[in-house]
Amino acid sequence: MILKQLLLLSLLGITHSFFRTSVSEDAMTRCHRGLRSPYDAKCGEYATATLEDLEEADGYPVLPEYCSNVTWATATNGTNWGNCFNMTTDKEYRYITTNNVPDFYFNPYCPLGLGLGYCVWQEYASDTCMFPSLVCGEDNGKGSTSYGDVWVPLISKYKIPLQGNPCRSDRPGDMYDAKTVGAEKTLGPSTAVAINGIGIQGPNDAGDVSIDEAGFILACGGHVTPPLGTSDNHYSQRTKRAVPRHRFPRPGPGPHPGPHPGPHPGPHPTREPHPTPHPHPTPEPHPTTTRPRPHPTTKPGPKPTTKPVPNPHTRPPPPPPPTKPGPGPNGPPLYHFHKSPECLEPFKNASIGVEHGAKPYIHAKLIGWAMDGFGVYAYQDINGSAPVVDECGGHFGPVDESGEVVYHYHSRQIVPYHLACQGPSLGNCASTQRGTNYCHPGCGYEVCVQPGTKEEKLAAYLDNFDKTWLSKYTVNPYQQ
């Protein structure tokens, strides 16, 4: 019956697109809102397969054993900083295998500061902070150091269409979905994969606020997830209560009494030795039982009508007991991008200075591939102009001097950073993406075409999919 209705609407020339996703409404809302858990990987329902499922699958390249065992402490410039990434293609798909290690040096990281927690105030306000006793700089298991958290390799695989179809009837699509567009991924929150194999995730990471609103400072647009590699670091599954964690000895004015944050205790051929920090008092140990969260002191009188919001820049209290045991730990720190990875070559191609070879007045270079098969490019468009994009963050236009048109996305310094939905948006981004709206303002029309694009080139591209598609929507005045 539905197919008959769609056929009738098509014959009548009436636009009718429908939204679909491969996960439940609840799973979609939780992922888009950035809800985190000490037990499950964020957006885990969007993973289409496990590594075990794809072990015998055709097409995926195999990485050397070293790629799974490399450590931050031993990675050097000579080993590409531990990065392993390989890609193969056939007639329909690109197959990617990566260890999720960046190909540049990464400093130990604390999202809010050394000795502080991992939850932002918005998570406290909405009572969604799932690991309030986790403190950065303590021994939280694999990937944690006394100076912050460092990456731990994790093998991931992706299968992405070589060519996206902008005329699909289910556009715009869920920005996290892979299954509906024929793609596969073992890492649920990835919306795209960068050219160095690092996953590009959505605009938020800690609740329904963007990276910038949360106050996270990201070097090269990325960071690592909280160290949740050992369940004993957070909750005792047997007693369902908070358990104490070992604290790294704080470095003093002399030789380091505990683990050194770098690869060697002395000078390193590719890294400067760490300066000796000032003495730092050893913090008091956490109690072995939970205690109520502290509330601000108030004068006697009626109870306040709103919950007091804890300050995320103070030492967090121990967590409440979980309502039920989860299926397992989330995992050790995983490196990923949220914002523009400006240290990658496509960005430096425009930023290093014209006298040093920069080319800021050509279309930006490719930085990655979205799950739907469309390319993601750096900032500038043809002739260095600003991209005129739709609500998803993509548009139709040429990507090189040939003038050939494709639909593609652009990275940007503001939300949604890369993409807010799988485009074209057709003016329906906000009505399809559940939870939180990170949609771009768009161009004021259902279809956005970069000004200066040749009409015949656009028609030739769309003819590969649907010759009548463009006539069903409003289009910005792009001809010059």
Side-chain angles (χ1 to χ4, degrees):
M1 184 65 181
I2 295 178
L3 291 176
K4 290 182 179 179
Q5 292 174 344
L6 291 174
L7 179 60
L8 178 61
L9 290 169
S10 177
L11 292 174
L12 293 175
I14 300 175
T15 301
H16 184 90
S17 62
F18 63 95
F19 173 79
R20 63 183 179 131
T21 184
S22 62
V23 301
S24 68
E25 184 77 13
D26 177 65
M28 181 182 180
T29 301
R30 284 188 286 110
C31 180
H32 281 252
R33 288 187 59 202
L35 296 182
R36 303 189 287 180
S37 167
Y39 303 112
D40 304 311
K42 192 182 77 170
C43 303
E45 294 88 347
Y46 283 96
T48 62
T50 65
L51 284 177
E52 291 74 19
D53 296 333
L54 301 179
E55 189 172 357
E56 303 297 330
D58 295 332
Y60 291 97
V62 178
L63 298 179
E65 186 177 351
Y66 155 84
C67 299
S68 300
N69 302 324
V70 63
T71 65
W72 175 87
T74 58
T76 66
N77 189 28
T79 59
N80 204 29
W81 299 110
N83 172 266
C84 294
F85 162 69
N86 199 355
M87 181 175 69
T88 60
T89 61
D90 58 20
K91 294 181 179 180
E92 295 184 80
Y93 297 98
R94 68 181 77 251
Y95 300 85
I96 294 172
T97 305
T98 173
N99 69 346
N100 291 286
V101 172
D103 54 350
F104 46 84
Y105 176 69
F106 176 73
N107 275 318
Y109 173 81
C110 288
L112 300 172
L114 186 64
L116 302 178
Y118 291 82
C119 293
V120 298
W121 74 263
Q122 292 91 341
E123 289 179 295
Y124 282 114
S126 59
D127 201 25
T128 56
C129 178
M130 295 291 103
F131 25 81
S133 70
L134 201 64
V135 176
C136 192
E138 295 184 353
D139 185 357
N140 297 307
K142 202 171 184 181
S144 58
T145 78
S146 58
Y147 287 83
D149 303 326
V150 297
W151 52 256
V152 174
L154 175 71
I155 303 299
S156 298
K157 295 185 177 183
Y158 300 89
K159 183 178 81 170
I160 300 175
L162 287 178
Q163 184 181 49
N165 179 0
C167 302
R168 293 172 59 105
S169 59
D170 58 356
R171 301 296 86 182
D174 182 348
M175 67 170 159
Y176 293 101
D177 204 6
K179 191 173 183 179
T180 57
V181 291
E184 289 182 344
K185 59 177 178 177
T186 60
L187 202 58
S190 294
T191 64
V193 185
I195 56 175
N196 62 352
I198 300 299
I200 298 175
Q201 299 190 10
N204 57 329
D205 194 39
D208 52 358
V209 292
S210 69
I211 290 296
D212 286 318
E213 188 174 356
F216 293 156
I217 306 301
L218 309 187
C220 195
H223 66 169
V224 291
T225 55
L228 302 175
T230 308
S231 59
D232 286 346
N233 289 335
H234 315 291
Y235 295 113
S236 166
Q237 296 291 338
R238 187 166 52 254
T239 61
K240 296 186 181 180
R241 63 184 176 87
V243 295
R245 293 183 303 279
H246 169 69
R247 277 162 177 70
F248 289 118
R250 293 294 181 185
H256 294 299
H260 190 275
H264 299 288
H268 189 277
T270 56
R271 301 179 184 172
E272 293 295 326
H274 291 273
T276 302
H278 293 291
H280 192 290
T282 302
E284 297 179 2
H286 278 298
T288 58
T289 57
T290 58
R291 65 175 183 267
R293 294 181 181 177
H295 291 274
T297 303
T298 56
K299 295 181 180 180
K303 293 183 178 179
T305 57
T306 57
K307 285 186 178 181
V309 180
N311 183 350
H313 298 287
T314 60
R315 196 172 186 82
T323 55
K324 60 181 180 179
N330 194 330
L334 173 74
Y335 189 85
H336 58 282
F337 292 132
H338 285 283
K339 301 185 67 176
S340 302
E342 292 183 330
C343 64
L344 298 190
E345 195 62 34
F347 290 94
K348 293 193 291 184
N349 182 66
S351 67
I352 60 175
V354 174
E355 292 186 0
H356 294 266
K359 299 178 180 178
Y361 302 114
I362 64 173
H363 193 282
K365 299 300 182 182
L366 180 79
I367 70 164
W369 307 273
M371 289 296 114
D372 55 9
F374 297 119
V376 184
Y377 291 79
Y379 297 144
Q380 74 274 14
D381 211 275
I382 293 293
N383 299 323
S385 59
V388 176
V389 298
D390 61 24
E391 295 170 353
C392 290
H395 68 169
F396 293 92
V399 295
D400 55 34
E401 291 77 8
S402 71
E404 299 299 322
V405 172
V406 293
Y407 184 83
H408 59 282
Y409 303 104
H410 277 273
S411 182
R412 60 191 52 78
Q413 295 173 315
I414 62 173
V415 166
Y417 306 131
H418 297 97
L419 59 149
C421 53
Q422 293 177 355
S425 66
L426 309 179
N428 292 322
C429 177
S431 63
T432 54
Q433 310 304 298
R434 305 294 189 264
T436 306
N437 180 355
Y438 291 111
C439 301
H440 189 278
C443 66
Y445 296 82
E446 292 172 314
V447 175
C448 300
V449 182
Q450 182 67 17
T453 299
K454 296 186 180 299
E455 184 177 9
E456 62 272 18
K457 294 285 188 180
L458 175 61
Y461 172 63
L462 292 175
D463 284 353
N464 294 315
F465 310 100
D466 184 346
K467 293 183 178 181
T468 65
W469 181 83
L470 193 61
S471 64
K472 304 172 186 177
Y473 302 100
T474 61
V475 185
N476 67 307
Y478 64 91
Q479 300 177 20
Q480 295 179 341

